[in-house]
Amino acid sequence: MPSWIRRHLAAVRALLVLTVVLGVAYPLAVFAVAQSPGLRGKAGGSVVTTAGGRTAGSALVGQSFTGRDGRPLRQYFQSRPSAAGDGYDPLSTGASNLGPEDVLDRLPSPGAEGRQSLLTRVCERSKAVGELEGVDGSRPYCTPDGVGAVLKVFGTRTAGGSVPRPTRVVSANQACPARPFLTAYEGVRVECATPGEDLSTGLTVPIRGNAPATPKVPADAVTASGSGLDPHISPAYAMLQAPRVARARGMTLAQVRAAVRHNQTGRALGFMGEPVVNVVRLNLQLDSTNPYHG
């Protein structure tokens, strides 16, 4: 038999053997192991169900607990914000990719869409959470109306880049006719921003304001996770929401806090990360033990 035929036959035999081993035997072995006790639920996507047996989602993927109008449902613990699609979309998983220096909004104007900066998103979310939970939602570098407290200062610059004698000052993220969060800066009246105006030549000056150093609204309540699918919140954010959920469901605060602790997990391997609360499991437990009848 010619050598070239022998080589082709050897290749065909190798293909058949590898197909059987890696294409049939190995997948079946992995599937069999995944169906063993303790692994079956995780291999199936960590699906969680209601008391009636209806699939409610996955314990590994967060959800938005809002009404048709987009407003938070008061009887449910709220998840952290999500930048994945319209929120917790597994097909659009990802972050906003905005960094800490993203502090200037692009105000909407005729023929151009606006875009919120990361700072304004944080400010807006903190204000909304504060109003929902009945606490002070203010935080540093945020205006009272929930946008980034950033000025654009115009004038002659020094070699170091500062503007010691401003000639014009604009509250960059507050579109006219909004009232600027500061009346004056360095003796110059602060103006509201005209949508569409180019303010790029001005010096960007964030203003800290008089908000407390430690905001009452936790960081995970105003920032999205890297994947946009995180089903967890911090214990601090869960405890902030507990009084509202207790009132909505007619439960005692102690009962709701006990449910929070039941759905809390500690650091991975005892030292990695921080304790977290699974919002999906927590809300399912509350629906099972104390259904909402509002």
Side-chain angles (χ1 to χ4, degrees), residues 7-27:
R7 288 196 297 270
H8 281 76
L9 289 176
V12 171
R13 287 196 298 269
L15 175 62
L16 293 175
V17 171
L18 291 175
T19 298
V20 171
V21 173
L22 300 179
V24 180
Y26 178 71

Side-chain angles (χ1 to χ4, degrees), residues 50-51 75-76 249 282-292:
T50 65
Q75 70 270 28
Y76 286 116
R249 291 182 179 268
L282 173 57
N283 284 333
L284 275 177
Q285 178 182 331
L286 292 175
D287 277 348
S288 175
T289 59
N290 297 84
Y292 176 69

Side-chain angles (χ1 to χ4, degrees), residues 1-260:
M1 185 179 294
S3 61
W4 67 272
I5 294 180
R6 292 198 301 270
R7 288 196 297 270
H8 281 76
L9 289 176
V12 171
R13 287 196 298 269
L15 175 62
L16 293 175
V17 171
L18 291 175
T19 298
V20 171
V21 173
L22 300 179
V24 180
Y26 178 71
L28 287 176
V30 171
F31 178 77
V33 171
Q35 300 308 305
S36 61
L39 294 179
R40 186 171 185 176
K42 294 180 180 179
S46 298
V47 174
V48 290
T49 59
T50 65
R54 180 177 60 86
T55 298
S58 170
L60 303 178
V61 180
Q63 297 182 25
S64 296
F65 295 92
T66 56
R68 293 183 179 180
D69 58 358
R71 296 182 179 180
L73 295 173
R74 303 188 67 84
Q75 70 270 28
Y76 286 116
F77 281 86
Q78 297 299 306
S79 306
R80 68 184 302 178
S82 171
D86 292 332
Y88 294 100
D89 183 356
L91 300 180
S92 301
T93 177
S96 66
N97 293 326
L98 301 178
E101 294 185 359
D102 188 56
V103 299
L104 293 172
D105 298 351
R106 183 171 65 243
L107 301 178
S109 60
E113 293 185 359
R115 185 192 71 84
Q116 287 185 325
S117 63
L118 177 61
L119 177 59
T120 287
R121 295 185 190 189
V122 167
C123 296
E124 183 180 71
R125 291 165 180 167
S126 189
K127 180 175 181 292
V129 171
E131 292 173 351
L132 178 65
E133 309 301 345
V135 299
D136 180 10
S138 64
R139 56 196 319 115
Y141 303 103
C142 293
T143 68
D145 56 348
V147 299
V150 181
L151 301 178
K152 275 293 189 177
V153 180
F154 297 85
T156 304
R157 299 198 187 192
T158 65
S162 63
V163 181
R165 294 181 179 83
T167 58
R168 184 188 180 208
V169 181
V170 178
S171 179
N173 295 333
Q174 291 183 297
C176 295
R179 181 179 180 181
F181 68 97
L182 280 183
T183 303
Y185 175 80
E186 298 293 336
V188 177
R189 182 179 66 85
V190 178
E191 308 171 17
C192 56
T194 301
E197 182 183 6
D198 184 7
L199 301 176
S200 60
T201 58
L203 176 66
T204 301
V205 181
I207 303 297
R208 187 193 181 286
N210 57 3
T214 304
K216 293 186 180 298
V217 177
D220 61 305
V222 298
T223 56
S225 65
S227 68
L229 305 178
D230 189 357
H232 303 104
I233 58 175
S234 67
Y237 187 25
M239 290 302 180
L240 176 65
Q241 301 183 64
R244 166 179 54 80
V245 174
R247 289 192 298 269
R249 291 182 179 268
M251 301 171 62
T252 66
L253 185 57
Q255 287 176 314
V256 175
R257 286 177 172 172
V260 169

